[in-house]
Amino acid sequence: MAVARVVHTADRTLTGRQLASLLTPPPEGRFGYRELARAVREALLDGRVALRLRLPAERELATVLAVSRTTVTGAYDLLRESGYAHSRRGAGTWTALPDGQAPTPLGAFQDDAGATIDLALAAPQAPDELAAALASAAAELPRYAGSQGYHPYGLPVLRSAIAERYTARGLPTRPEQILVTTGAQQALSLVLTLLGRAGDRVLAENPSYTNALDAMRGRMLRITPVPVTETGWDTGLVDAALRQTAPRLAYLIPDFHNPTGHLMPQEQRRELARSARATGTWLVADETLADIALDVTAPPPFAAAAGGGDGEQIVSVGSLSKSCWGGLRVGWVRASSRVVTELARVRITADLSGSVLDQLVAVALMERLDTIVPRRVEELRRRRDALTTALARHMPEWRWTVPPGGMCLWIDLGRPVASAVAAHALRHGVRVEGGARFGVDPGTHEHRLRIPYTLPEDVYEPAAERLAAALDGAPGRYADPALPDWVA
């Protein structure tokens, strides 16, 4: 297999401050050369530092970290000896992986036709109405076939449908406030690109949606974590973090938070909107799970809770992936018309327009949401019950709080052994995702598993049996894990 050539360009270089912000300092607070090498390696393996990035010059990093240049030289030597960096005369030191070691895989995104039960991906199957929606879209398509087919803002008919749904949910919205995107992930990526710059601070919940965190890290944003605990959000802590760090953006999942399942109360939404307004922080509300209200009434949009001018800096992100189907890849941003125009300019540099056919299917599905969503909610209630029953039978020592909505259980294992459990479970034919994948900081949430309940009910009993088999007789193997041995 051919190895991609390293392109030595300025935008592939980490500054000393950028690298320092991505490293976890040692307990004693000051880096020795071995601790520094270990921290860089962990940041690389954790995805905080990308492959094929040029590391800062030794003197620059030494100044930022307040260590000697000899310390940085020794750390870089260890990284090169162990395969985590390579150097070329006159070109600096670049991040790498040792021969034979693959980058971190895409987690739950596996095209696996085998017998593995996938309990890692929180994505439901398509609704029965998809076939009718496809037929409706096919009938409409000839009306658009005579045009050039590019709609950077999205099809007007779809923008209107999304705006009408916001209005019906309590947030008056005009079509020009909607940008249709290729899923909610593109929507978030566009917002981060427009509103953030490398080195800016962004406030994010801890834990949070892993792909959102990766998008922030990929743009060199400095993440300020605020905890989401067993009882939800502490608005006092969030307000203090906003005022002390004045982040450029704050990313929140207020509706059936992924992965904890919490629903933010309306008063807390109002408080956070006021705090963000006071600090000049753009507040990005991820509402992709808003429809998945299993035990409570579906909440109104976050921006509806903001009074007066507090909603001007709120950007909402949504999609049809959870209420309908992830394979459709239709999402959106709701913001001021000015922000939507600027987002569209950013969008065309990477993706000129979404698929007209997919958007027509989305229009047809949105016309049927009043039928699709209640059925989806009832289906997920049954699946949640099936999962909790199976886990309680086979793993009675595990603990969780049944969420009022969303698609996942956030399970407490009682010990920080989730990565070991996930690796052992995969060998027994079941894929689960450890909580560390959702943490802002490496090594956090190692006592948690996130298990979605989006598969058919009859899957969960055999899945729990496999998990039990994976754990049977192995508790001794799951002592608190230390960091891997360092070889230099």
Side-chain angles (χ1 to χ4, degrees):
M1 180 181 297
V3 178
R5 181 174 64 89
V6 175
V7 181
H8 300 288
T9 58
D11 64 340
R12 299 294 292 172
T13 301
L14 277 170
T15 68
R17 290 191 181 280
Q18 287 172 340
L19 179 58
S21 71
L22 298 169
L23 301 181
T24 303
E28 58 273 17
R30 185 178 177 86
F31 285 107
Y33 77 101
R34 289 185 180 274
E35 290 79 13
L36 179 55
R38 181 190 293 264
V40 173
R41 182 198 61 169
E42 290 170 357
L44 178 62
L45 293 176
D46 191 50
R48 287 169 284 151
V49 172
L51 285 175
R52 296 178 289 279
L53 278 180
R54 182 162 52 190
L55 293 169
E58 294 173 0
R59 189 183 305 277
E60 176 192 0
L61 185 59
T63 299
V64 171
L65 295 178
V67 299
S68 69
R69 184 176 178 182
T70 303
T71 297
V72 179
T73 300
Y76 281 12
D77 285 344
L78 281 180
L79 291 169
R80 283 188 289 265
E81 290 170 13
S82 55
Y84 290 94
H86 67 85
S87 296
R88 183 179 301 174
R89 184 177 297 278
T93 301
W94 295 73
T95 57
L97 286 177
D99 291 341
Q101 180 166 334
T104 301
L106 291 177
F109 297 100
Q110 306 285 341
D111 289 326
D112 185 357
T116 299
I117 299 175
D118 195 336
L119 296 184
L121 193 60
Q125 300 79 21
D128 295 339
E129 288 80 0
L130 180 62
L134 282 167
S136 176
E140 287 290 315
L141 189 59
R143 296 180 51 219
Y144 295 86
S147 72
Q148 86 286 358
Y150 294 109
H151 300 272
Y153 289 91
L155 290 183
V157 64
L158 180 54
R159 297 176 77 195
S160 294
I162 296 169
E164 289 170 6
R165 186 159 178 81
Y166 271 107
T167 299
R169 293 175 56 218
L171 181 61
T173 302
R174 303 184 308 276
E176 55 265 32
Q177 292 180 270
I178 300 295
L179 175 74
V180 179
T181 60
T182 306
Q185 187 66 25
Q186 186 193 53
L188 176 61
S189 296
L190 291 173
V191 171
L192 294 176
T193 299
L194 175 66
L195 301 180
R197 297 291 183 271
D200 283 351
R201 288 195 179 276
V202 55
L203 183 144
E205 298 148 328
N206 191 22
S208 187
Y209 178 47
T210 179
N211 293 323
L213 295 175
D214 286 345
M216 297 171 200
R217 294 174 183 128
R219 286 160 179 78
M220 300 296 180
L221 297 171
R222 295 184 293 164
I223 304 175
T224 297
V226 291
V228 180
T229 66
E230 291 285 351
T231 57
W233 294 261
D234 184 328
T235 49
L237 286 178
V238 180
D239 179 75
L242 286 169
R243 295 181 184 278
Q244 292 169 10
T245 65
R248 175 70 172 162
L249 302 111
Y251 171 76
L252 303 175
I253 310 173
D255 305 322
F256 315 119
H257 175 264
N258 184 2
T260 68
H262 291 307
L263 177 63
M264 184 181 290
Q266 291 299 304
E267 181 54 38
Q268 286 191 334
R269 296 175 187 231
R270 287 189 284 272
E271 292 174 10
L272 294 184
R274 287 193 294 267
S275 296
R277 176 72 172 174
T279 57
T281 300
W282 286 95
L283 203 159
V284 183
D286 187 335
E287 300 176 338
T288 55
L289 289 161
D291 283 338
I292 312 302
L294 305 185
D295 301 327
V296 294
T297 301
F302 187 96
D310 294 338
E312 294 177 3
Q313 288 182 241
I314 297 177
V315 177
S316 302
V317 170
S319 83
L320 291 179
S321 294
K322 305 304 184 185
S323 54
C324 292
W325 187 43
L328 193 60
R329 307 313 307 138
V330 171
W332 55 80
V333 177
R334 185 219 178 262
S336 70
S337 57
R338 177 182 61 82
V339 170
V340 164
T341 298
E342 294 177 1
L343 286 170
R345 291 193 181 113
V346 175
R347 189 255 181 89
I348 61 176
T349 64
D351 178 10
L352 289 174
S353 177
S355 161
V356 171
L357 181 57
D358 283 3
Q359 292 181 71
L360 290 174
V361 174
V363 171
L365 287 173
M366 292 199 72
E367 293 172 350
R368 297 165 170 81
L369 279 182
D370 288 343
T371 300
I372 293 172
V373 170
R375 188 185 307 127
R376 173 75 76 202
V377 166
E378 180 55 37
E379 173 186 78
L380 288 171
R381 283 197 197 103
R382 294 195 305 270
R383 294 177 177 186
R384 184 187 60 182
D385 291 347
L387 174 60
T388 55
T389 298
L391 292 180
R393 179 181 298 115
H394 294 283
M395 272 73 66
E397 70 278 13
W398 289 4
R399 296 289 180 265
W400 59 83
T401 298
V402 177
M407 295 183 166
C408 303
L409 293 183
W410 187 232
I411 295 172
D412 187 350
L413 303 178
R415 290 177 293 162
V417 295
S419 294
V421 170
H424 204 60
L426 187 58
R427 293 194 290 272
H428 283 73
V430 60
R431 180 178 291 113
V432 292
E433 193 71 75
R437 191 79 176 87
F438 304 88
V440 172
D441 299 310
T444 58
H445 309 296
E446 255 295 306
H447 62 300
R448 295 280 190 174
L449 290 179
R450 189 198 77 160
I451 300 185
Y453 39 83
T454 52
L455 297 176
E457 294 102 295
D458 59 4
V459 169
Y460 294 113
E461 181 65 24
E465 290 175 356
R466 294 186 189 189
L467 281 171
L471 298 175
D472 187 34
R477 303 181 193 179
Y478 298 151
D480 292 3
L483 292 171
D485 291 336
W486 178 254
V487 179

